Amino acid sequence: MSATEGQPPAGTPSTATGPEEDTPMKTATDTAATPAEPSGAAAATSTTTSTAIEIHGLHKSFGDLEVLRGIDFTIAPGEVVCVIGPSGSGKSTLLRCANLLEQPSAGRVVVGGTDITDPDVDIDRVRRRIGMVFQQFNLFPHLSVLENLTIAQRRVLRRGKAESVHAARENLARVGLADKESSYPSQLSGGQQQRVAIARALSMNPELMLFDEPTSALDPELVGDVLSVMRGLADEGMTMMVVTHEMGFAREVADRVVFMDGGVIVEEGTPDEVLGNPQHQRTRSFLARILHPNDTPATDTP
Amino acid sequence: MTTQTPAADAAPAEAGPRPALSPRRRRRLVQGAQYVILAAAVAALVSLADWQQLQHQFLQLSVARRMFPDLLTVALANTVLYTLSGFGVGLVLGLVIALMRLSSVAPYRWIASVYIEIFRGLPALLIFIFIGVGVPLAFPGTAIPGGVYGQVALALGLVAAAYMAETIRAGIQAVPRGQLEAARTLGMSHGLAMRSIVIPQAFRVIVPPLTNELVLLFKDSSLVLFLGVSLETRELTKFGRDLASETANTTPIFVAGLCYLLITVPLGYLVRRLEARHAKAR
Ligand SMILES: Nc1ncnc2c1ncn2[C@@H]1O[C@H](COP(=O)(O)OP(=O)(O)OP(=O)(O)O)[C@@H](O)[C@H]1O
Ligand SMILES: [Mg+2]
């Protein structure tokens, strides 16, 4: 079952962008909202690209602290890339630069042919195409599960009520929570909340999904449900960039594993290469610490 | 618990000399003394007060009866109207100032801070006099729309906005940053994310303090007294005072006071309920 069809070709003459932001809240009467989804931002080139995301020479500093020191890599459509690395190595920052939650200090990020670091790009429009799942779920606590999934469809994609509810239910079923649509986030377990967060992102029909340690805040027994939802997504061909410490997931699901340390990519390759036969000392000691946390203390601090 | 045998445990507790007066007994004694003093004071009050005179002054039914129905249809109605209009102006203005305080444009932040400092630092009465007397003097010919009602709404609103802005700002800042980020990653603009995600959550946090502000405004509406109001625009305090001097009796003031309490006490109770509920929800 694919909830992700009907994405109109990019480069469609877009309807006016500005005024929709100022629509007053009370448009909830809504029955006749336009189902048309004005997609495809500024770039007319996107139809010809074969990369989901390209990152070129990405640098990011917070004041004097240089967190990313030149990152280059691309993800092909349908590819699943897991990013691993020690705490503070810049994994989250990299992910957040990929949808401009952080403004890169230098370098370019190209998503589906759109250079999103171009100041003229409508970033809100690009972000609709990029789903993001956070470590802390970040569900909207004042909205029911169903409303969490429909609010952006309604207000951003201008979908009608029936259509947005339909898409929401479809995605809730996809993450195995069809019976929770009228619950509030506080009534759900962490694992359920994270699956709702995934369904919320999917309801926007993204072409790329970013996951920032989606299972790190979960009790161990709840990790499996979330990972199996993600595995299902990968099987359906979703393009995914996943920051994770779940080496089992990386080994089984990832097409490629990227090891980061100190703001650079130290090593990347297939899971077998990077996890099975790491070439760099830093990768080896990181993996040793992750896989055997109780063994010898780390000695590789830079 | 590392008890071996009950006997070995109990023995040392029993030992030690007993003090002449155990702490518990002493507390009981002090408490008893307090009741005695209270009873004496009440007895003195009851026997010494001239109840006839007191009732004549404070609760003369014939005077109280004269207050109806204007007490409710004019005075209380106006008090409520002044309060709500001031609250409305304050809320809108306060929200704007709170958003300015949080703006990324530095001059907006400065303007908002200056506003807050000024209007929190001045007596509300001065603002009333400024609006009622100063503005007409300074700009002859200009009239604040709505007459006295407009003036009161503006004066109360200006003062309330300064307090509400700080409350609202704190409420907005209490919403975790991840909420805004999650909304933005769904493609919402900053404005839409604030309106539909952040501000609704902020308002849940600030309902108790805003209700408190409503209580304060309810009392501050009495400052209309200084705006020179007509018969139709009198509110509780002015109404009570006028009737008191007319009848040379304190009853109208007493009754007007009861009217205030009729509103403020339940509202205060509501605030505490809301706060308790909020504390539990955390
Ligand atoms: N907004 C910020 N302001 C200042 N410093 C920041 C900010 N965000 C991140 N940093 C710093 O950047 C560095 C990298 O942070 P980042 O969150 O990207 O690491 P990470 O690899 O995701 O680590 P973890 O595994 O702990 O999540 C850290 O030293 C962090 O303190
Ligand atoms: Mg991180």
Side-chain angles (χ1 to χ4, degrees), chain B residues 147-231:
Chain B
V148 174
Y149 290 102
Q151 288 179 344
V152 177
L154 186 63
L156 279 181
L158 285 174
V159 179
Y163 291 93
M164 290 195 202
E166 281 298 85
T167 306
I168 295 171
R169 178 187 61 82
I172 288 175
Q173 284 181 328
V175 177
R177 177 144 194 89
Q179 291 290 312
L180 183 65
E181 291 184 344
R184 295 304 303 273
T185 57
L186 291 169
M188 292 191 193
S189 67
H190 183 83
L192 177 58
M194 289 297 283
R195 285 198 304 275
S196 62
I197 303 299
V198 176
I199 291 178
Q201 289 183 57
F203 264 86
R204 294 175 138 200
V205 181
I206 63 185
V207 162
L210 282 189
T211 312
N212 220 0
E213 183 63 28
L214 189 64
V215 172
L216 294 178
L217 280 181
F218 193 70
K219 295 187 287 178
D220 276 352
S221 66
S222 60
L223 295 170
V224 180
L225 192 62
F226 296 91
L227 285 185
V229 291
S230 64
L231 278 182

Coordinates of all heavy atoms in Angstrom, one line a residue, chain B residues 147-231:
Chain B
G147 N -15.6 57.3 24.2 CA -15.8 58.1 25.4 C -15.1 57.5 26.6 O -14.0 57.0 26.4
V148 N -15.8 57.5 27.7 CA -15.2 57.0 28.9 C -14.8 55.5 28.7 O -13.8 55.0 29.2 CB -16.1 57.1 30.1 CG1 -15.6 56.4 31.3 CG2 -16.3 58.6 30.4
Y149 N -15.7 54.8 28.1 CA -15.4 53.3 27.9 C -14.1 53.1 27.1 O -13.3 52.3 27.5 CB -16.6 52.7 27.1 CG -17.8 52.6 27.9 CD1 -18.9 53.5 27.7 CD2 -18.0 51.6 28.9 CE1 -20.0 53.4 28.5 CE2 -19.1 51.5 29.7 CZ -20.2 52.4 29.5 OH -21.3 52.3 30.2
G150 N -13.9 53.9 26.1 CA -12.7 53.8 25.3 C -11.5 54.2 26.2 O -10.4 53.5 26.1
Q151 N -11.6 55.3 27.0 CA -10.5 55.7 27.8 C -10.1 54.7 28.8 O -9.0 54.4 29.0 CB -10.9 57.0 28.6 CG -11.0 58.2 27.7 CD -11.4 59.5 28.5 OE1 -11.9 59.3 29.6 NE2 -11.2 60.6 27.9
V152 N -11.2 54.1 29.4 CA -10.8 53.0 30.5 C -10.2 51.8 29.8 O -9.2 51.3 30.3 CB -12.1 52.6 31.2 CG1 -11.8 51.5 32.2 CG2 -12.7 53.8 31.9
A153 N -10.8 51.4 28.7 CA -10.2 50.2 28.0 C -8.7 50.5 27.7 O -7.9 49.6 27.9 CB -11.0 49.9 26.7
L154 N -8.5 51.7 27.2 CA -7.1 52.0 26.8 C -6.2 52.1 28.1 O -5.1 51.5 28.1 CB -7.1 53.4 26.1 CG -5.7 53.8 25.5 CD1 -5.3 52.8 24.4 CD2 -5.8 55.2 24.9
A155 N -6.6 52.8 29.1 CA -5.8 53.0 30.3 C -5.5 51.6 30.9 O -4.4 51.3 31.2 CB -6.4 53.9 31.3
L156 N -6.6 50.9 31.2 CA -6.4 49.6 31.8 C -5.6 48.7 30.9 O -4.7 47.9 31.3 CB -7.7 48.9 32.1 CG -8.5 49.3 33.3 CD1 -9.8 48.5 33.4 CD2 -7.7 49.1 34.6
G157 N -5.8 48.7 29.6 CA -5.1 47.9 28.6 C -3.7 48.2 28.6 O -2.8 47.3 28.5
L158 N -3.3 49.5 28.6 CA -1.9 49.8 28.6 C -1.1 49.3 29.7 O 0.0 48.8 29.6 CB -1.8 51.4 28.5 CG -2.1 52.1 27.2 CD1 -2.1 53.6 27.4 CD2 -1.1 51.6 26.1
V159 N -1.8 49.4 30.9 CA -1.1 48.9 32.1 C -1.0 47.3 32.1 O 0.0 46.7 32.3 CB -1.8 49.3 33.4 CG1 -1.1 48.8 34.6 CG2 -1.9 50.8 33.5
A160 N -2.2 46.7 31.8 CA -2.2 45.3 31.8 C -1.3 44.7 30.8 O -0.7 43.6 31.0 CB -3.7 44.8 31.5
A161 N -1.1 45.3 29.6 CA -0.3 44.8 28.5 C 1.1 44.5 29.0 O 1.8 43.6 28.7 CB -0.3 45.7 27.3
A162 N 1.6 45.5 29.9 CA 3.0 45.4 30.3 C 3.2 44.1 31.1 O 4.2 43.4 31.0 CB 3.4 46.6 31.1
Y163 N 2.2 43.8 32.0 CA 2.3 42.6 32.9 C 2.1 41.4 32.0 O 2.8 40.4 32.1 CB 1.3 42.7 34.0 CG 1.7 43.7 35.0 CD1 1.2 45.0 35.0 CD2 2.6 43.4 36.1 CE1 1.5 46.0 35.9 CE2 2.9 44.4 37.0 CZ 2.4 45.7 36.9 OH 2.7 46.6 37.8
M164 N 1.1 41.4 31.2 CA 0.7 40.3 30.4 C 1.8 39.9 29.4 O 2.1 38.7 29.1 CB -0.6 40.5 29.6 CG -1.8 40.6 30.5 SD -3.2 40.4 29.4 CE -4.5 41.2 30.4
A165 N 2.5 40.9 28.9 CA 3.6 40.7 27.9 C 4.6 39.8 28.6 O 5.1 38.8 28.0 CB 4.2 42.0 27.4
E166 N 5.0 40.1 29.8 CA 6.0 39.3 30.5 C 5.5 37.9 30.7 O 6.2 36.9 30.6 CB 6.4 40.0 31.8 CG 7.4 41.1 31.6 CD 8.7 40.7 31.0 OE1 8.8 40.6 29.8 OE2 9.6 40.4 31.8
T167 N 4.2 37.8 31.1 CA 3.6 36.5 31.4 C 3.6 35.6 30.1 O 4.0 34.5 30.1 CB 2.2 36.6 31.9 OG1 2.2 37.5 33.0 CG2 1.6 35.3 32.2
I168 N 3.2 36.3 29.0 CA 3.1 35.6 27.7 C 4.5 35.2 27.2 O 4.7 34.0 26.7 CB 2.3 36.4 26.7 CG1 0.9 36.7 27.1 CG2 2.4 35.8 25.3 CD1 0.2 37.7 26.3
R169 N 5.4 36.1 27.4 CA 6.8 35.7 26.9 C 7.3 34.5 27.7 O 7.8 33.6 27.1 CB 7.7 36.9 27.2 CG 9.2 36.6 26.8 CD 10.1 37.8 27.2 NE 10.1 38.0 28.6 CZ 10.8 37.2 29.5 NH1 11.6 36.3 29.0 NH2 10.8 37.5 30.8
A170 N 7.1 34.5 29.0 CA 7.6 33.4 29.8 C 6.9 32.1 29.3 O 7.5 31.0 29.2 CB 7.3 33.6 31.2
G171 N 5.6 32.2 29.0 CA 4.8 31.1 28.5 C 5.3 30.5 27.2 O 5.5 29.3 27.0
I172 N 5.6 31.4 26.3 CA 6.1 31.0 25.0 C 7.5 30.4 25.2 O 7.8 29.3 24.6 CB 6.2 32.2 24.0 CG1 4.8 32.7 23.6 CG2 7.1 31.9 22.8 CD1 4.8 33.9 22.8
Q173 N 8.3 30.9 26.0 CA 9.6 30.4 26.2 C 9.6 29.0 26.9 O 10.5 28.2 26.9 CB 10.5 31.3 27.0 CG 11.0 32.5 26.1 CD 11.9 33.5 26.8 OE1 11.8 33.7 28.0 NE2 12.8 34.0 26.0
A174 N 8.5 28.8 27.6 CA 8.4 27.5 28.3 C 8.0 26.3 27.4 O 8.1 25.2 27.7 CB 7.3 27.6 29.4
V175 N 7.6 26.7 26.2 CA 7.3 25.6 25.2 C 8.6 25.1 24.6 O 9.4 25.9 24.1 CB 6.4 26.2 24.0 CG1 6.2 25.1 23.0 CG2 5.1 26.7 24.6
P176 N 8.9 23.8 24.7 CA 10.2 23.3 24.3 C 10.5 23.7 22.8 O 9.6 23.7 22.0 CB 10.1 21.8 24.4 CG 8.9 21.6 25.3 CD 8.0 22.8 25.2
R177 N 11.7 24.0 22.6 CA 12.2 24.4 21.2 C 11.8 23.4 20.2 O 11.6 23.7 19.0 CB 13.7 24.7 21.3 CG 14.2 25.1 20.0 CD 15.4 26.1 20.0 NE 15.6 26.6 18.7 CZ 14.9 27.6 18.2 NH1 14.1 28.3 18.9 NH2 15.1 28.0 16.9
G178 N 11.8 22.1 20.6 CA 11.5 21.0 19.6 C 10.1 21.2 19.0 O 9.9 20.7 17.9
Q179 N 9.2 21.8 19.7 CA 7.9 22.0 19.1 C 7.9 22.9 17.9 O 7.3 22.5 16.9 CB 7.0 22.6 20.2 CG 6.7 21.7 21.3 CD 5.8 20.5 20.9 OE1 4.8 20.7 20.3 NE2 6.2 19.3 21.2
L180 N 8.6 24.0 18.0 CA 8.8 24.9 16.9 C 9.5 24.1 15.7 O 9.1 24.2 14.6 CB 9.5 26.1 17.3 CG 9.7 27.2 16.2 CD1 8.3 27.7 15.8 CD2 10.6 28.3 16.7
E181 N 10.6 23.4 16.1 CA 11.4 22.7 15.1 C 10.5 21.7 14.4 O 10.6 21.5 13.2 CB 12.6 22.1 15.7 CG 13.6 23.2 16.1 CD 14.9 22.6 16.7 OE1 14.9 21.4 17.0 OE2 15.9 23.4 16.7
A182 N 9.8 20.9 15.1 CA 8.9 19.9 14.5 C 7.9 20.5 13.6 O 7.7 20.0 12.5 CB 8.2 19.1 15.6
A183 N 7.3 21.6 14.0 CA 6.4 22.3 13.1 C 7.1 22.8 11.8 O 6.5 22.7 10.7 CB 5.7 23.5 13.9
R184 N 8.3 23.4 12.0 CA 9.0 23.9 10.8 C 9.3 22.8 9.9 O 9.3 22.9 8.7 CB 10.2 24.7 11.2 CG 10.0 25.9 12.0 CD 9.1 26.9 11.4 NE 9.5 27.4 10.0 CZ 10.4 28.4 9.8 NH1 10.9 29.1 10.8 NH2 10.7 28.7 8.6
T185 N 9.7 21.6 10.4 CA 10.1 20.5 9.5 C 8.9 20.0 8.8 O 9.1 19.3 7.8 CB 10.8 19.3 10.3 OG1 9.9 18.9 11.3 CG2 12.1 19.8 10.9
L186 N 7.7 20.3 9.3 CA 6.5 19.9 8.5 C 6.2 20.9 7.4 O 5.1 20.8 6.8 CB 5.3 19.7 9.4 CG 5.5 18.5 10.4 CD1 4.4 18.5 11.4 CD2 5.4 17.2 9.6
G187 N 7.0 21.9 7.3 CA 6.8 22.9 6.2 C 6.0 24.1 6.7 O 5.7 25.0 5.9
M188 N 5.7 24.2 8.0 CA 5.0 25.4 8.5 C 6.0 26.6 8.5 O 7.1 26.5 8.8 CB 4.5 25.2 9.9 CG 3.4 24.2 10.0 SD 2.7 24.2 11.6 CE 1.7 22.7 11.6
S189 N 5.4 27.7 8.1 CA 6.2 29.0 8.2 C 6.4 29.3 9.7 O 5.7 28.7 10.6 CB 5.5 30.1 7.6 OG 4.3 30.4 8.3
H190 N 7.3 30.2 10.0 CA 7.5 30.6 11.4 C 6.2 31.1 12.0 O 5.8 30.7 13.1 CB 8.6 31.6 11.6 CG 8.9 32.0 13.0 ND1 9.7 31.3 13.7 CD2 8.4 33.0 13.7 CE1 9.8 31.8 14.9 NE2 9.0 32.9 15.0
G191 N 5.5 31.9 11.3 CA 4.2 32.5 11.8 C 3.2 31.4 12.1 O 2.5 31.4 13.1
L192 N 3.0 30.6 11.1 CA 2.0 29.5 11.3 C 2.4 28.6 12.4 O 1.5 28.2 13.2 CB 1.9 28.7 10.0 CG 0.9 27.5 10.0 CD1 -0.5 28.0 10.4 CD2 0.9 26.8 8.6
A193 N 3.7 28.2 12.5 CA 4.1 27.4 13.6 C 3.8 28.0 15.0 O 3.4 27.4 15.9 CB 5.6 27.0 13.5
M194 N 4.1 29.3 15.1 CA 3.8 30.0 16.3 C 2.3 30.0 16.6 O 1.9 29.7 17.7 CB 4.3 31.5 16.2 CG 5.8 31.7 16.2 SD 6.6 31.1 17.7 CE 6.2 32.5 18.8
R195 N 1.5 30.4 15.6 CA 0.1 30.5 15.8 C -0.6 29.2 16.2 O -1.4 29.1 17.0 CB -0.6 31.1 14.6 CG -0.4 32.5 14.3 CD -1.5 33.0 13.4 NE -1.5 32.3 12.1 CZ -0.7 32.6 11.1 NH1 0.2 33.5 11.1 NH2 -0.8 31.9 10.0
S196 N -0.2 28.1 15.5 CA -1.0 26.9 15.6 C -0.3 25.9 16.6 O -1.0 25.0 17.1 CB -1.2 26.2 14.3 OG 0.1 25.8 13.7
I197 N 1.0 26.1 16.9 CA 1.6 25.1 17.8 C 2.2 25.7 19.0 O 1.8 25.3 20.1 CB 2.8 24.4 17.0 CG1 2.3 23.8 15.7 CG2 3.5 23.4 17.9 CD1 1.3 22.7 15.9
V198 N 2.9 26.8 18.9 CA 3.6 27.3 20.1 C 2.6 28.1 21.0 O 2.5 27.9 22.2 CB 4.8 28.2 19.7 CG1 5.5 28.8 21.0 CG2 5.8 27.3 19.0
I199 N 1.9 29.1 20.4 CA 1.1 30.0 21.2 C 0.0 29.2 21.9 O -0.3 29.4 23.1 CB 0.7 31.2 20.4 CG1 1.9 32.1 20.1 CG2 -0.4 32.0 21.2 CD1 1.6 33.3 19.2
P200 N -0.7 28.3 21.3 CA -1.7 27.5 22.0 C -1.2 26.8 23.2 O -1.8 26.7 24.2 CB -2.3 26.6 20.9 CG -2.0 27.2 19.6 CD -0.7 27.9 19.8
Q201 N 0.0 26.3 23.1 CA 0.6 25.6 24.2 C 1.0 26.6 25.3 O 0.9 26.3 26.5 CB 1.8 24.8 23.8 CG 1.5 23.6 23.0 CD 2.7 22.7 22.7 OE1 3.4 22.3 23.5 NE2 2.9 22.5 21.4
A202 N 1.5 27.8 24.9 CA 1.9 28.8 25.8 C 0.7 29.2 26.6 O 0.8 29.4 27.8 CB 2.6 30.0 25.1
F203 N -0.4 29.4 25.9 CA -1.6 29.9 26.6 C -2.1 28.9 27.7 O -2.6 29.4 28.7 CB -2.7 30.3 25.6 CG -2.6 31.7 25.3 CD1 -1.8 32.2 24.3 CD2 -3.4 32.6 26.0 CE1 -1.8 33.5 24.0 CE2 -3.3 34.0 25.8 CZ -2.5 34.4 24.7
R204 N -1.9 27.7 27.5 CA -2.3 26.7 28.6 C -1.5 27.0 29.9 O -2.0 26.9 31.0 CB -2.0 25.3 28.2 CG -2.9 24.9 27.0 CD -2.4 23.5 26.6 NE -3.5 22.6 26.3 CZ -3.5 21.3 26.3 NH1 -2.3 20.7 26.7 NH2 -4.5 20.6 26.0
V205 N -0.2 27.3 29.7 CA 0.6 27.6 30.8 C 0.2 28.9 31.5 O 0.3 29.0 32.8 CB 2.1 27.7 30.4 CG1 3.0 27.9 31.6 CG2 2.5 26.4 29.7
I206 N -0.2 29.8 30.8 CA -0.4 31.2 31.3 C -1.8 31.5 31.7 O -2.1 32.6 32.1 CB 0.2 32.2 30.4 CG1 -0.6 32.3 29.1 CG2 1.7 32.0 30.1 CD1 0.0 33.2 28.1
V207 N -2.7 30.5 31.5 CA -4.1 30.8 31.9 C -4.2 31.2 33.4 O -4.9 32.2 33.7 CB -5.0 29.6 31.6 CG1 -6.3 29.7 32.3 CG2 -5.3 29.6 30.1
P208 N -3.6 30.5 34.3 CA -3.7 30.9 35.7 C -3.2 32.4 35.9 O -3.9 33.2 36.5 CB -2.9 29.9 36.5 CG -2.8 28.7 35.6 CD -2.9 29.2 34.2
P209 N -1.9 32.7 35.5 CA -1.5 34.1 35.7 C -2.3 35.1 35.0 O -2.5 36.2 35.5 CB 0.0 34.1 35.2 CG 0.2 32.9 34.5 CD -0.8 31.9 35.0
L210 N -2.9 34.7 33.9 CA -3.7 35.7 33.2 C -5.1 35.9 33.9 O -5.6 37.0 34.0 CB -4.0 35.3 31.7 CG -2.9 35.5 30.7 CD1 -3.4 35.2 29.3 CD2 -2.4 36.9 30.8
T211 N -5.6 34.9 34.5 CA -6.8 35.0 35.3 C -6.5 35.9 36.5 O -7.3 36.7 36.9 CB -7.3 33.6 35.8 OG1 -7.3 32.7 34.7 CG2 -8.7 33.7 36.3
N212 N -5.3 35.7 37.1 CA -4.9 36.6 38.2 C -4.9 38.0 37.8 O -5.3 38.9 38.5 CB -3.5 36.1 38.6 CG -3.4 36.2 40.1 OD1 -4.3 36.5 40.8 ND2 -2.2 35.8 40.6
E213 N -4.4 38.3 36.6 CA -4.4 39.6 36.0 C -5.8 40.2 35.9 O -6.0 41.3 36.1 CB -3.6 39.6 34.7 CG -3.5 40.9 34.0 CD -2.6 41.9 34.8 OE1 -1.7 41.4 35.5 OE2 -2.8 43.1 34.7
L214 N -6.7 39.3 35.5 CA -8.1 39.7 35.4 C -8.6 40.2 36.7 O -9.3 41.2 36.8 CB -8.9 38.5 34.9 CG -10.4 38.8 34.5 CD1 -10.4 39.7 33.3 CD2 -11.1 37.5 34.2
V215 N -8.2 39.5 37.8 CA -8.7 39.9 39.2 C -8.1 41.3 39.5 O -8.8 42.2 40.0 CB -8.2 38.9 40.2 CG1 -8.5 39.4 41.6 CG2 -8.9 37.5 40.0
L216 N -6.8 41.5 39.2 CA -6.2 42.8 39.4 C -6.9 43.9 38.6 O -7.2 45.0 39.2 CB -4.7 42.7 39.1 CG -3.8 41.8 39.9 CD1 -2.4 41.8 39.4 CD2 -3.9 42.2 41.4
L217 N -7.2 43.6 37.4 CA -7.9 44.6 36.5 C -9.3 44.9 37.1 O -9.7 46.1 37.1 CB -8.0 44.1 35.1 CG -6.8 44.2 34.2 CD1 -7.1 43.6 32.8 CD2 -6.3 45.6 34.1
F218 N -9.9 43.9 37.6 CA -11.3 44.1 38.1 C -11.2 45.1 39.2 O -12.1 46.0 39.4 CB -11.8 42.8 38.7 CG -13.2 42.7 39.0 CD1 -14.1 42.8 38.0 CD2 -13.6 42.6 40.3 CE1 -15.5 42.7 38.2 CE2 -15.0 42.6 40.6 CZ -15.9 42.6 39.5
K219 N -10.2 45.0 40.1 CA -10.0 46.0 41.2 C -9.6 47.4 40.6 O -10.1 48.4 41.1 CB -9.0 45.5 42.2 CG -9.6 44.2 42.9 CD -8.7 43.8 44.0 CE -7.4 43.2 43.5 NZ -6.5 42.8 44.6
D220 N -8.7 47.3 39.7 CA -8.1 48.6 39.1 C -9.2 49.4 38.4 O -9.0 50.6 38.2 CB -6.9 48.3 38.2 CG -5.6 48.2 39.0 OD1 -5.7 48.4 40.2 OD2 -4.6 47.8 38.4
S221 N -10.2 48.7 37.9 CA -11.3 49.4 37.2 C -11.9 50.5 38.1 O -12.5 51.5 37.6 CB -12.3 48.5 36.7 OG -13.0 47.9 37.8
S222 N -11.7 50.4 39.4 CA -12.2 51.4 40.3 C -11.6 52.8 40.0 O -12.1 53.8 40.5 CB -12.0 51.0 41.7 OG -10.6 50.9 42.0
L223 N -10.4 52.8 39.4 CA -9.7 54.1 39.1 C -10.5 55.0 38.2 O -10.1 56.2 38.1 CB -8.3 53.8 38.6 CG -7.4 53.1 39.6 CD1 -6.1 52.6 38.8 CD2 -7.0 54.0 40.7
V224 N -11.5 54.5 37.5 CA -12.4 55.3 36.7 C -12.9 56.5 37.5 O -13.2 57.5 36.9 CB -13.5 54.4 36.2 CG1 -14.5 55.3 35.3 CG2 -13.0 53.2 35.4
L225 N -13.0 56.3 38.8 CA -13.4 57.3 39.7 C -12.8 58.7 39.3 O -13.4 59.7 39.4 CB -13.0 56.9 41.1 CG -13.5 57.6 42.3 CD1 -15.0 57.4 42.4 CD2 -12.9 57.0 43.5
F226 N -11.6 58.6 38.9 CA -10.8 59.9 38.6 C -11.0 60.4 37.2 O -10.4 61.4 36.9 CB -9.3 59.6 38.9 CG -9.1 59.3 40.3 CD1 -9.0 58.0 40.8 CD2 -8.8 60.3 41.3 CE1 -8.8 57.7 42.1 CE2 -8.6 60.0 42.6 CZ -8.6 58.7 43.0
L227 N -11.8 59.7 36.4 CA -12.0 60.2 35.1 C -13.2 61.1 34.9 O -13.6 61.6 33.9 CB -12.2 59.0 34.1 CG -10.9 58.3 33.8 CD1 -11.2 57.2 32.7 CD2 -9.8 59.2 33.3
G228 N -13.9 61.4 36.0 CA -15.1 62.2 36.0 C -16.2 61.5 35.1 O -16.5 61.9 34.0
V229 N -16.8 60.5 35.7 CA -17.8 59.7 34.9 C -19.2 60.2 35.2 O -19.5 60.8 36.2 CB -17.7 58.2 35.3 CG1 -16.4 57.7 34.8 CG2 -17.8 58.0 36.8
S230 N -20.0 60.0 34.2 CA -21.4 60.4 34.3 C -22.2 59.3 35.1 O -21.7 58.3 35.4 CB -22.0 60.6 32.9 OG -22.0 59.4 32.2
L231 N -23.5 59.6 35.2 CA -24.3 58.6 36.0 C -24.4 57.3 35.3 O -24.3 56.2 36.0 CB -25.8 59.2 36.0 CG -26.0 60.2 37.1 CD1 -27.5 60.6 37.1 CD2 -25.7 59.6 38.5

